[in-house]
Amino acid sequence: KNEVEQSPQNLTAQEGEFITINCSYSVGISALHWLQQHPGGGIVSLFMLSSGKKKHGRLIATINIQEKHSSLHITASHPRDSAVYICAVILSGSRLTFGEGTQLTVNP
Amino acid sequence: GAVVSQHPSRVICKSGTSVKIECRSLDFQATTMFWYRQFPKKSLMLMATSNEGSKATYEQGVEKDKFLINHASLTLSTLTVTSAHPEDSSFYICSAKGRQLQETQYFGPGTRLLVL
């Protein structure tokens, strides 16, 4: 079993829909990242959080440390949001352990 | 946010040659840099962690003599794939972070290596 599990693996939505991607982890962590990887391969760090909730534009990330669970929400989704979204946790030091990613496709 | 660049973005080389990939932090001092490898439709795999001025720490199964890492300054780390083989073809990504333990890692745009 992976230490970091994401769901769903693939997600197709219509433009404007509210999207949720989930991440569960099995061990104690110091922080969690949500990353976005576009088809060209480049990775952008969307959020790093260790408690509560963060919001940036149409993106919202939440984390529940007790339940070892985080969610990434996208409101009013747009085709340009199509990408792979990756959850990564910091277990010790600075090392990241990655989930398998969620491929999101938003159709116009 | 902070910017990390990688060069080259794409490289094609012949089997047996060596390829150097550069990772630079453009607007901050990167005390730690990470090198990852990514296979198609797979997640990132950490290859090694390098701290400025010291030897890199390699993950289990990663050959340090094949993947040479140098982190000579606070803004530059290099990964050299020596005697490249077709199975080394992959997407290589670096990330960098500053001094504070909890600081965000900033990722480079990646380098796609194809070994013929």
Side-chain angles (χ1 to χ4, degrees):
Chain A
K1 187 180 189 299
N2 292 338
E3 289 173 312
V4 182
E5 299 270 352
Q6 279 186 242
S7 64
Q9 285 187 324
N10 293 282
L11 180 55
T12 302
Q14 288 299 121
E15 184 172 357
E17 286 184 0
F18 181 82
I19 287 162
T20 296
I21 299 170
N22 295 299
C23 176
S24 296
Y25 49 92
S26 56
V27 295
I29 66 170
S30 56
L32 180 146
H33 283 260
W34 280 103
L35 309 171
Q36 180 192 56
Q37 185 171 30
H38 277 281
I43 291 177
V44 175
S45 179
L46 300 174
F47 296 103
M48 184 177 79
L49 62 165
S50 53
S51 65
K53 175 180 175 178
K54 287 188 177 180
K55 184 177 190 292
H56 182 70
R58 294 181 294 106
L59 302 178
I60 304 166
T62 64
I63 188 168
N64 184 318
I65 295 293
Q66 287 74 29
E67 295 187 4
K68 296 186 172 59
H69 181 268
S70 176
S71 293
L72 176 68
H73 306 285
I74 305 175
T75 61
S77 60
H78 191 276
R80 65 174 174 267
D81 297 326
S82 299
V84 175
Y85 291 84
I86 303 168
C87 169
V89 300
I90 301 174
L91 298 179
S92 62
S94 303
R95 291 188 52 166
L96 290 177
T97 299
F98 297 87
E100 293 289 318
T102 295
Q103 173 68 64
L104 171 65
T105 303
V106 182
N107 294 317
Chain B
V3 178
V4 174
S5 70
Q6 271 184 250
H7 178 80
S9 58
R10 287 179 176 270
V11 57
I12 301 173
C13 69
K14 292 183 179 179
S15 189
T17 60
S18 294
V19 174
K20 180 184 282 189
I21 302 169
E22 292 185 349
C23 177
R24 292 182 186 272
S25 58
L26 299 185
D27 52 1
F28 69 103
Q29 293 185 329
T31 49
T32 306
M33 286 187 169
F34 304 86
W35 286 97
Y36 300 91
R37 184 174 179 175
Q38 187 178 35
F39 293 100
K41 299 194 183 299
K42 294 292 184 183
S43 192
L44 285 79
M45 180 188 78
L46 179 65
M47 298 175 67
T49 303
S50 76
N51 293 296
E52 185 263 339
S54 60
K55 288 184 179 180
T57 302
Y58 289 82
E59 295 300 299
Q60 194 172 9
V62 178
E63 298 176 59
K64 62 181 180 182
D65 294 330
K66 179 159 186 66
F67 298 100
L68 299 178
I69 291 172
N70 184 281
H71 190 166
S73 77
L74 284 171
T75 58
L76 174 65
S77 177
T78 60
L79 167 68
T80 302
V81 183
T82 63
S83 187
H85 287 278
E87 57 264 30
D88 299 325
S89 300
S90 192
F91 190 61
Y92 293 89
I93 306 174
C94 72
S95 72
K97 67 179 293 290
R99 295 189 185 279
Q100 299 304 316
L101 189 62
Q102 291 293 314
E103 267 191 54
T104 299
Q105 286 188 32
Y106 298 96
F107 288 82
T111 297
R112 195 162 300 281
L113 170 64
L114 177 62
V115 184
L116 302 176

